[in-house]
Amino acid sequence: EFRKGKSRVRGVCKNVEAEGDRYQHEIAAYRLDRRLDLNLVPVTVLRKTGVNAPCSLQYFVDRALDATAVREYGLPPGYEEKVSIQIEDSRVFDALIGNMDRTESDVLHLPVDGRIALIDHSRAFSLETDLRTWFPDGRWELSEKMESALKKLDTGDLKSVLGGWLEKDQIKALEERRKGLLAGVAQTGS
């Protein structure tokens, strides 16, 4: 919990640095999410823990329902229609960032706000470039906003946004997935 004056904010701190599981990926996912203007990933920044070790600090999403709560309590009428584009954008975002570790509990539902939030990206940014990993049927849809954002994203953007957080081969794999996502739309008419 963090305090500034009378304000209090809760956050989740991750300091993992193992093969394929790194706190830096949390920050990279947030930065790319904002560069694409999706606003699906909660604010995530670099901080130091009490022992002065670096970690990612992510805003804790209050009033959210995970998949278990959704099954137990349900969602308000019309909510699913309201977030359908966000759900599809989240699937494309996972493919873009090479996130093969998304579970249904990592998609938080905010019925009051009419939106979703994506958490837990420490295992993202794999080197896999075959989009069938995320779309076994070879089909996906890009919202107009997502397609436009992906077209504007170039290698220079990726290096400036993600350079301090990812390895060069991770950025190269992300660029290949970006190209594939855009080419797939042209080929499939999705």
Side-chain angles (χ1 to χ4, degrees):
E1 187 172 281
F2 299 87
R3 298 177 192 177
K4 184 173 184 178
K6 293 184 179 184
S7 298
R8 292 181 186 196
V9 176
R10 295 190 310 160
V12 177
C13 181
K14 285 189 180 180
N15 62 359
V16 63
E17 276 196 89
E19 182 70 31
D21 191 3
R22 302 174 59 222
Y23 75 87
Q24 294 93 334
H25 296 168
E26 298 284 351
I27 298 166
Y30 167 71
R31 291 177 56 97
L32 185 58
D33 169 84
R34 288 311 187 268
R35 173 62 182 82
L36 296 170
D37 195 29
L38 297 175
N39 297 311
L40 296 171
V41 179
V43 173
T44 310
V45 296
L46 176 67
R47 287 292 183 265
K48 302 269 181 168
T49 63
V51 293
N52 210 25
C55 70
S56 64
L57 178 64
Q58 185 172 85
Y59 174 77
F60 182 82
V61 182
D62 287 317
R63 303 174 326 216
L65 302 176
D66 64 9
T68 304
V70 166
R71 280 193 290 279
E72 191 171 327
Y73 301 109
L75 291 168
Y79 171 81
E80 289 183 38
E81 288 176 19
K82 196 171 192 177
V83 299
S84 63
I85 290 175
Q86 292 174 50
I87 296 290
E88 191 58 32
D89 282 351
S90 73
R91 293 180 65 228
V92 171
F93 184 69
D94 275 342
L96 178 66
I97 67 172
N99 187 8
M100 296 188 281
D101 194 43
R102 174 79 59 215
T103 65
E104 59 181 13
S105 63
D106 296 334
V107 179
L108 303 179
H109 295 269
L110 296 127
V112 172
D113 300 333
R115 64 183 189 89
I116 63 169
L118 303 176
I119 61 169
D120 199 6
H121 299 96
S122 65
R123 294 182 185 215
F125 300 101
S126 73
L127 300 181
E128 178 61 62
T129 57
D130 186 345
L131 293 174
R132 289 175 295 188
T133 302
W134 296 274
F135 305 103
D137 64 357
R139 297 189 59 81
W140 55 88
E141 291 186 35
L142 297 181
S143 66
E144 286 181 31
K145 180 179 177 180
M146 178 66 88
E147 185 173 0
S148 175
L150 289 177
K151 284 179 178 176
K152 291 176 188 173
L153 191 64
D154 63 22
T155 303
D157 281 338
L158 291 173
K159 288 179 181 175
S160 70
V161 171
L162 305 173
W165 308 108
L166 300 179
E167 302 296 327
K168 288 178 184 176
D169 56 347
Q170 290 174 300
I171 294 173
K172 184 177 178 185
L174 191 152
E175 176 63 11
E176 287 301 311
R177 291 187 298 266
R178 183 194 74 82
K179 288 177 184 175
L181 286 165
L182 289 169
V185 170
Q187 293 169 3
T188 63
S190 295

